[in-house]
Amino acid sequence: MVKKGHLFSFFAILIVAGVIMAMIAQPIIHNVKLGLDLKGGFEVLYQVEPLKAGQKIDKDTMSNAVAAINKRINVLGVSEPNISIENGNRIRVQLPGVKDEKRARKLLSTTANLTFRDYKDRLMLDGSDLVPGKAKVGFDNLNKPLVTLRLKDPNKFAKVTRKIMNENPNVLVIWLDYQKGDSFLKQVNKKKHKFISAPSVDSVLNTSDVQITGMSSVQEATTLKDLLNSGSLPVKMKEIYSNSVGAQFGQDSMKETLFAGAIGVAVIFLFMLFFYRLGGLIADITLVFYVFIVMGVFVGLQAVLTLPGIAALILGIGMAVDANIITLERIKDEIRSGKTILSAFRAGNHRALPTVVDANITTIIAAAVLFVLGESAIKGFAVMLLISNIITFITSIYGARLFLGLLVHSKLLNNKPGLLGVKRSDIREN
């Protein structure tokens, strides 16, 4: 006699779960953050070096550098950047969707330490004398671009201009990232200017507004304005690696990966149905739940999906199938030994559990090691693998056991071993 209560519970849970998945599918898809290998963009790895002699590169210094980089990334308009500190003195920056790689490089790595010096390269003013965030792009009478700055103390500027106007030549040299050994006079003689501009000072200027001219284009003026408004970097950053991925290439990679993954999953589904019949159907259902839960957790953690992440997700599907196969094979062995469907279900689950647990624990350990010791894409793979492994255990063991257990306890499978892939001729009589 079939127990309808268990069957009702089976279909009720299935329907409710299906409705929930239908409701959350679109929000999950729309909120997935794609890495630059899928979306296209720019990645660069910097070696952080001291800006001044005796400067220590410690955690605080690295945190300040990351904060400064974040400000500059905001200027680029990147909505989903990824900035990570590696090996204590390296910073990896990933900028999905960035198209102007040259401008991105300049904004990220330029120290942006603005100084005003005389012709002998003596320091007159520096960035600390400026009002933060007040740099603007403007145009002169000839419609040439310039950058306007706001000084904190106009009296100090008056003293500087009074001193400069009495020198010969009476120029106030404006430098960006002046380094020891740079020389205004030498660069003028060689006609190779590292400084921004060197306007002549013919009168005392008691003003808080300063103009920087000599910009060759509006883009150059805009970049300088953005650098000054985002603040100077507290360190030097030496580029040691970079990678650029075109948007079309990223999209093609994602399509090809998802297509290959879909074929693989479809083959797995058919394999489970062919060899394990109703048990395989239950396994396929739990695999669908697995994918939804993994992506939901991934989006909830605001993680970035990359090609290695997709590989880890598909690997997790394989592990989930493996856990189901181990359990279903144990159940089939128990049925072949002559036990009833209910007894075989209980014994098979009990015998399979230690093997599945051991397999999951070893994978978790491997993923943890990859996360601790790996970098960039390896860490992304490890995170997805950890998430997949934990959810695999939940869905494959408890989810599949719940659904199959409801059908077994409903007595629908009594005396029907074929529904679990066992031939009657293979059953040994006690």
Side-chain angles (χ1 to χ4, degrees):
M1 184 71 178
V2 175
K3 294 183 178 180
K4 296 182 179 180
H6 288 87
L7 281 179
F8 176 81
S9 298
F10 173 83
F11 286 108
I13 295 173
L14 203 59
I15 293 171
V16 170
V19 171
I20 293 175
M21 287 192 299
M23 292 174 61
I24 66 174
Q26 191 170 1
I28 288 177
I29 294 172
H30 283 204
N31 286 288
V32 173
K33 294 181 179 180
L34 299 179
L36 62 88
D37 56 354
L38 297 175
K39 191 175 182 180
F42 174 60
E43 174 186 32
V44 60
L45 179 63
Y46 292 106
Q47 179 79 37
V48 177
E49 299 176 349
L51 184 63
K52 301 176 182 178
Q55 181 184 17
K56 292 183 179 180
I57 305 299
D58 53 20
K59 289 184 179 180
D60 291 336
T61 304
M62 296 296 289
S63 296
N64 292 336
V66 169
I69 292 172
N70 257 318
K71 290 182 181 179
R72 298 184 178 193
I73 290 175
N74 290 335
V75 169
L76 291 170
V78 180
S79 59
E80 298 167 0
N82 183 27
I83 307 173
S84 58
I85 298 174
E86 298 179 359
N87 298 333
N89 62 349
R90 291 182 177 182
I91 296 177
R92 185 181 297 272
V93 182
Q94 295 179 326
L95 305 176
V98 167
K99 297 179 180 179
D100 192 344
E101 182 180 326
K102 183 177 179 181
R103 182 167 183 258
R105 263 195 170 92
K106 187 168 185 179
L107 279 172
L108 289 174
S109 60
T110 302
T111 306
N113 185 17
L114 192 73
T115 57
F116 298 77
R117 299 172 183 270
D118 65 5
Y119 78 98
K120 293 183 179 181
D121 306 319
R122 292 176 297 192
L123 181 63
M124 301 286 109
L125 298 166
D126 61 21
S128 63
D129 295 304
L130 303 177
V131 178
K134 293 298 182 180
K136 296 180 180 179
V137 174
F139 298 89
D140 61 15
N141 295 331
L142 299 176
N143 204 34
K144 291 184 177 181
L146 53 82
V147 176
T148 61
L149 307 175
R150 181 72 55 82
L151 293 173
K152 295 178 180 178
D153 186 0
N155 293 325
K156 186 174 182 179
F157 190 56
K159 292 178 182 178
V160 169
T161 54
R162 181 179 292 109
K163 184 175 181 180
I164 293 294
M165 65 179 290
N166 293 322
E167 294 182 350
N168 186 22
N170 59 334
V171 292
L172 182 61
V173 189
I174 303 173
W175 293 84
L176 188 67
D177 295 342
Y178 174 89
Q179 295 181 0
K180 188 176 181 181
D182 288 337
S183 171
F184 166 72
L185 293 177
K186 289 181 180 179
Q187 291 192 27
V188 169
N189 292 334
K190 293 181 179 180
K191 297 182 180 180
K192 185 178 181 181
H193 299 171
K194 182 182 174 183
F195 53 85
I196 300 175
S197 63
S200 299
V201 179
D202 300 316
S203 61
V204 176
L205 302 175
N206 190 359
T207 178
S208 59
D209 293 323
V210 178
Q211 293 182 345
I212 301 178
T213 58
M215 306 291 107
S216 61
S217 65
V218 174
Q219 184 177 4
E220 183 182 353
T222 301
T223 299
L224 177 60
K225 178 262 295 183
D226 291 336
L227 283 169
L228 297 177
N229 284 339
S230 61
S232 61
L233 286 171
V235 294
K236 290 181 183 179
M237 298 209 305
K238 179 182 178 182
E239 182 178 318
I240 58 177
Y241 166 82
S242 66
N243 180 36
S244 181
V245 179
Q248 187 60 47
F249 181 81
Q251 291 174 9
D252 291 344
S253 296
M254 181 171 65
K255 289 178 182 178
E256 291 172 3
T257 303
L258 292 178
F259 179 72
I263 292 177
V265 171
V267 171
I268 289 173
F269 276 28
L270 292 174
F271 172 85
M272 295 300 292
L273 286 173
F274 181 79
F275 281 97
Y276 300 102
R277 311 297 172 83
L278 188 58
L281 176 62
I282 298 299
D284 290 346
I285 291 172
T286 57
L287 285 177
V288 174
F289 292 161
Y290 156 81
V291 173
F292 268 86
I293 296 172
V294 168
M295 293 309 302
V297 172
F298 201 72
V299 170
L301 293 175
Q302 296 185 336
V304 178
L305 185 63
T306 61
L307 282 174
I310 294 176
L313 175 63
I314 296 174
L315 177 61
I317 292 175
M319 293 182 61
V321 169
D322 186 54
N324 279 290
I325 288 175
I326 291 172
T327 302
L328 292 173
E329 283 293 343
R330 293 292 189 186
I331 293 174
K332 288 172 68 175
D333 286 343
E334 297 296 332
I335 294 175
R336 292 189 187 101
S337 69
K339 291 183 178 179
T340 64
I341 299 292
L342 179 58
S343 297
F345 170 76
R346 290 172 176 170
N349 277 290
H350 179 73
R351 291 178 59 193
L353 185 59
T355 305
V356 175
V357 170
D358 289 345
N360 278 267
I361 289 177
T362 54
T363 306
I364 289 174
I365 293 172
V369 172
L370 287 175
F371 181 79
V372 173
L373 301 180
E375 297 180 358
S376 188
I378 301 298
K379 283 185 178 289
F381 175 84
V383 169
M384 179 60 92
L385 188 59
L386 280 169
I387 294 172
S388 299
N389 198 259
I390 294 171
I391 296 174
T392 290
F393 185 79
I394 296 172
T395 56
S396 299
I397 299 300
Y398 297 103
R401 182 179 295 184
L402 170 65
F403 283 116
L404 189 57
L406 288 172
L407 293 179
V408 169
H409 284 88
S410 71
K411 297 185 178 181
L412 180 68
L413 306 183
N414 280 6
N415 299 318
K416 298 176 182 178
L419 290 177
L420 292 174
V422 179
K423 297 178 181 179
R424 288 189 180 276
S425 57
D426 293 336
I427 300 175
R428 298 186 297 275
E429 295 184 4
N430 292 329

